[in-house]
Amino acid sequence: MAKLWGGRFSKNTNELVDAFNASIDFDKRLYREDIRGSIAHAGMLAKCGIIPAEDGEKIIAGLKDILADIEAGNFSFEVALEDIHMNVEARLTERIGAAGARLHTARSRNDQVALDMHMYMKREVAEIAELLIRFEKAVLTVAKKHDKTLMPGYTHLQRAQPITLAHHLLAYFNMLQRDFRRLLGVWEGADMMPLGAGAIAGTTFPIDRFDVAEQLNFGKVYCNSMDAVSDRDYVIEFLSFASTLMMHMSRLSEELCLWSSTEFAFIEFDDAFATGSSMMPQKKNPDIAELVRGKTGRVYGHLMGMLTTAKGLPLTYNKDLQEDKEGFFDAVDTVKFTLQVYADMLLTMTVNVDKMAEAVSKDFSNATDLADYLVRKGLPFRQAHEVVGKCVAYAILNGKFLPEISIEEYKKFSELFEEDLLVALEPYNCVAARKSYGGPAFTENAKQFVLGDEVLAEQEAKLAELMAKL
Ligand code: ARG
């Protein structure tokens, strides 16, 4: 097959070179953006008098036909034509003749691929924003449902202090809000129009880059032609957002795996969201949570891959940059799939409220509250800590928990102890009393629920804004 760049070559390309060089197998995913970008470019060339108006019209009609053919599955992508850009352009010229051969005026594949990637990223950012909002809603819904569900909070994976499942999930809800903010930052990076940079040094033709930006709804235009074709920081920003989001999802997954074990038995996944074992008939495995934890590794890998690919490259375009795509596409798919499956997994899981309550009542997670009790009676905290530490050691020695020690026994440790210490030890009261801003008190979380709904409404408004700028 004749190459679009064949003029200076006197031999056919080696077959392995064709296969090694080609990106069509994965960059065909950019076909919509490639065609839309070319339509905008052709329209601009005609408007600026760089190509005849009738050629512009022919090109645009031809590109629309190609789009329809691809969507109908009537387009065969050729490896010999290397990438999506040359596949589309070659087909166009085949169909409309000379006019098609004018499309690439004042353009290079270097700025073309950058344009496609920016547009594609904007579309995916909007889709991910929608899925992220949906997931945040699921987290908030389960949190609201469990506003009174007591459980131990952990540090070092040791029972620490009583909290509610709501408070625990709200922690994730807050992390996800920051992920949403980071995603908006990714949008900002992608919303800059590179076309018109040419291969490296712009063009001699009187193009109007701002017209192209306007046609394609870009907010900004790259103002240095070399920067526009060199950098992939927008991909790195996406992968860094994706890595952080997956890190959060992975931590939640780790907890859900633990909680679904017989040892914890805090939750049970719905049968539709768990899997069995081919050998052990009794097994019900949390594969989804495990896979999310596992897939986090490969998203990190894509971030490291892209950073490493870019680090030694001299300006401007180098073919190494073609390596920006597969990892990015895979990260997009992984994040979208994860958010989708996870929302329903959370909404359908059963929370074993009694098991959680039992865990928080048969342990020492109320010890800080006993120390605080002594502080309220006038003892300095450090001494109160010491006294309660001794009470805990005594209880452990006698096979008891704090509420089971008699008041006479307590008096031996401090005269300040009275009968009312039992009230302070009640896990429900421990939680209710932690009213400091951001604390787990029921009243505090009730405020967070209201705020959470407001944040989600703001995010939805932001999403609508993004959709209008696609
Ligand atoms: N397939 C290429 C890529 O993804 C398009 C740009 C090719 N440019 C070039 N000068 N060979 O990076």
Side-chain angles (χ1 to χ4, degrees):
M1 186 161 299
K3 298 279 191 244
L4 297 189
W5 39 254
R8 64 103 69 215
F9 289 79
S10 55
K11 277 191 183 175
N12 287 333
T13 317
N14 175 294
E15 258 175 50
L16 281 177
V17 171
D18 262 344
F20 195 67
N21 201 31
S23 52
I24 188 63
D25 281 348
F26 47 88
D27 69 14
K28 62 182 172 211
R29 199 193 261 242
L30 300 170
Y31 74 88
R32 290 188 209 91
E33 286 72 26
D34 196 72
I35 290 175
R36 196 171 152 218
S38 288
I39 289 176
H41 180 65
M44 179 276 290
L45 290 178
K47 263 186 254 176
C48 296
I50 301 167
I51 61 169
E54 60 272 28
D55 281 0
E57 279 158 30
K58 271 194 210 161
I59 292 173
I60 291 171
L63 286 168
K64 285 183 179 162
D65 288 345
I66 292 177
L67 179 65
D69 280 355
I70 296 178
E71 305 226 283
N74 292 332
F75 190 99
S76 84
F77 294 99
E78 302 294 338
V79 168
L81 288 169
E82 218 175 301
D83 53 27
I84 185 64
H85 325 297
M86 293 200 292
N87 266 271
V88 171
E89 193 192 322
R91 181 64 54 89
L92 180 72
T93 307
E94 204 178 284
R95 285 207 182 164
I96 66 166
R102 293 195 201 282
L103 170 62
H104 213 51
T105 315
R107 186 176 77 169
S108 154
R109 276 183 298 152
N110 297 354
D111 55 348
Q112 188 179 357
V113 72
L115 175 68
D116 293 4
M117 287 288 277
H118 280 75
M119 289 165 73
Y120 178 80
M121 189 173 291
K122 284 173 69 178
R123 182 155 62 85
E124 292 296 3
V125 165
E127 282 182 26
I128 291 171
E130 191 175 356
L131 292 172
L132 184 53
I133 293 173
R134 190 172 156 260
F135 180 62
E136 286 174 88
K137 266 190 197 158
V139 174
L140 192 62
T141 303
V142 181
K144 284 181 182 170
K145 197 167 145 202
H146 290 284
D147 62 334
K148 299 274 176 341
T149 301
L150 299 173
M151 64 177 286
Y154 296 80
T155 65
H156 311 266
L157 203 54
Q158 307 289 322
R159 289 181 194 173
Q161 294 180 331
I163 54 157
T164 57
L165 179 57
H167 198 58
H168 195 110
L169 290 175
L170 282 173
Y172 282 105
F173 181 65
N174 279 274
M175 298 176 208
L176 295 169
Q177 284 176 38
R178 292 193 294 277
D179 286 323
F180 191 88
R181 173 186 43 77
R182 276 183 279 271
L183 185 60
L184 295 181
V186 176
W187 172 279
E188 284 306 315
D191 191 29
M192 194 180 282
M193 210 290 295
L195 201 75
I200 160 170
T203 173
T204 54
F205 294 100
I207 57 168
D208 184 350
R209 299 184 63 212
F210 295 91
D211 173 81
V212 174
E214 202 184 310
Q215 289 189 61
L216 299 175
N217 279 327
F218 275 96
K220 304 170 287 277
V221 175
Y222 276 88
C223 67
N224 179 291
S225 64
M226 294 180 72
D227 173 36
V229 292
S230 291
D231 205 1
R232 293 295 182 267
D233 56 355
Y234 53 100
V235 177
I236 289 166
E237 279 178 354
F238 178 85
L239 291 171
S240 144
F241 149 79
S243 296
T244 310
L245 171 66
M246 290 301 289
M247 179 265 295
H248 291 148
M249 307 286 285
S250 183
R251 292 186 76 166
L252 179 57
S253 298
E254 168 64 14
E255 296 191 319
L256 295 179
C257 287
L258 274 177
W259 293 358
S260 69
S261 69
T262 311
E263 284 70 13
F264 274 85
F266 283 180
I267 57 153
E268 184 177 346
F269 288 116
D270 188 81
D271 274 2
F273 287 86
T275 53
S277 152
S278 60
M279 185 182 192
M280 301 165 280
Q282 85 285 8
K283 287 300 287 292
K284 180 168 175 183
N285 296 329
D287 284 31
I288 301 308
E290 290 171 288
L291 272 175
V292 170
R293 194 176 56 192
K295 284 173 188 291
T296 301
R298 81 189 222 195
V299 174
Y300 289 5
H302 297 321
L303 173 61
M304 285 308 130
M306 190 66 242
L307 284 166
T308 311
T309 295
K311 81 181 253 298
L313 296 184
L315 299 187
T316 50
Y317 181 83
N318 302 270
K319 192 69 174 231
D320 314 46
L321 292 175
Q322 180 166 287
E323 290 296 310
D324 64 349
K325 293 180 194 61
E326 286 157 291
F328 166 56
F329 293 156
D330 184 66
V332 164
D333 294 344
T334 304
V335 162
K336 286 168 85 175
F337 212 168
T338 296
L339 288 170
Q340 253 166 327
V341 67
Y342 223 108
D344 295 324
M345 184 177 81
L346 272 192
L347 290 167
T348 54
M349 78 184 184
T350 309
V351 175
N352 197 341
V353 174
D354 295 339
K355 260 287 190 195
M356 286 186 167
E358 190 191 321
V360 81
S361 60
K362 294 208 166 45
D363 78 343
F364 291 96
S365 61
N366 47 7
T368 313
D369 299 87
L370 194 58
D372 287 355
Y373 166 93
L374 290 175
V375 169
R376 280 195 296 278
K377 304 241 165 175
L379 203 61
F381 179 76
R382 193 45 66 209
Q383 284 170 31
H385 186 288
E386 173 79 15
V387 170
V388 175
K390 294 216 161 91
C391 296
V392 168
Y394 176 83
I396 292 171
L397 202 66
N398 292 279
K400 290 178 178 175
F401 292 107
L402 291 175
E404 294 156 8
I405 302 177
S406 71
I407 187 67
E408 291 72 34
E409 289 168 296
Y410 269 120
K411 290 273 187 201
K412 286 184 206 149
F413 294 100
S414 168
E415 274 304 316
L416 294 171
F417 283 124
E418 312 273 351
E419 288 289 350
D420 61 351
L421 69 85
L422 283 175
V423 178
L425 286 176
E426 267 304 312
Y428 184 95
N429 296 337
C430 299
V431 171
R434 297 179 174 275
K435 292 198 191 99
S436 51
Y437 179 79
F442 308 108
T443 47
E444 283 304 298
N445 276 337
K447 290 181 213 159
Q448 295 302 319
F449 293 148
V450 176
L451 277 179
D453 285 331
E454 282 171 25
V455 167
L456 287 172
E458 279 164 29
Q459 291 183 351
E460 260 160 2
K462 195 72 206 168
L463 171 63
E465 251 176 62
L466 302 191
M467 299 290 275
K469 288 190 213 152
L470 281 180

